[in-house]
């Protein structure tokens, strides 16, 4: 969705292996190792959810990147269980958010919305809301017209 919206995307892996495996053994090829871009400033960062979220929460580099970008007013997106990483980084304090119901114990104030925008933080519930989330990111990073254009191009109404 973001690439369709003209957003330049860099996918980073936590380790040196550029293959990342997610839920249901879905593999994705990362562009770079996190260490090679950890000091770079991006317009936005996006944290995926799923079972690997625990690794993100435990990685000081990830927490530092989240804090740095959120503090600079950059867009910070998190979907599914990934808002728990935002909490761990201390950037959810006093903010409205949503997340997957499976993390309700860690994030008791989850809103039922598909996507929640609170200042520069954008959260979404999970795979079933991923298109809404992607379009919200395109709208925030590009503009509303581009988001509408992408929605029409993928027959999302």
């Amino acid at each position: 969705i973001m690439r369709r919206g003209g957003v330049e995307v860099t996918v980073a892996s936590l380790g040196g292996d550029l293959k990342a495996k997610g839920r249901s053994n879905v593999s994705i090829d990362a562009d770079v190792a996190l260490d090679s871009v950890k000091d770079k400033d991006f317009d936005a960062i996006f944290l995926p959810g799923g079972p690997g979220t625990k690794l993100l929460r435990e990685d000081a580099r990830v927490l530092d990147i989240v804090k740095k970008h959120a503090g600079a007013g950059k867009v910070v997106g998190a979907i599914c269980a990934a808002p728990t990483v935002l909490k761990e980084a201390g950037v959810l304090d006093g903010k409205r958010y949503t997340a997957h119901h499976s993390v309700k114990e860690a994030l008791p104030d989850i809103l039922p919305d598909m996507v929640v925008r609170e200042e520069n933080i954008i959260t979404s519930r999970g795979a079933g809301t991923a298109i809404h989330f992607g379009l919200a990111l395109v709208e925030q990073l590009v503009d509303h017209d581009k988001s509408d254009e992408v929605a029409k191009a993928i027959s999302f109404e």
Side-chain angles (χ1 to χ4, degrees), residues 45-72:
I45 58 168
F46 160 72
L47 302 170
T53 302
K54 182 177 186 284
L55 297 173
L56 298 175
R57 273 195 321 270
E58 295 171 347
D59 194 309
R61 299 169 304 168
V62 172
L63 300 178
D64 287 343
I65 290 167
V66 169
K67 289 175 195 174
K68 179 177 97 174
H69 283 78

Side-chain angles (χ1 to χ4, degrees), residues 80-149:
C80 193
T84 60
V85 180
L86 304 184
K87 180 182 179 186
E88 186 70 25
V91 302
L92 273 189
D93 297 340
K95 293 194 171 38
R96 298 175 325 112
Y97 58 85
T98 193
H100 193 270
H101 61 84
S102 65
V103 295
K104 181 88 171 146
E105 192 171 304
L107 297 172
D109 298 321
I110 294 172
L111 295 174
D113 308 50
M114 288 188 276
V115 175
V116 173
R117 296 182 205 196
E118 180 78 10
E119 299 170 4
N120 58 318
I121 307 291
I122 303 176
T123 54
S124 191
R125 292 184 355 216
T129 62
I131 293 175
H132 293 277
F133 182 57
L135 292 171
L137 288 168
V138 169
E139 183 173 338
Q140 188 78 22
L141 292 168
V142 183
D143 61 36
H144 181 74
D145 289 342
K146 181 55 85 170
S147 179
D148 278 353
E149 178 186 314

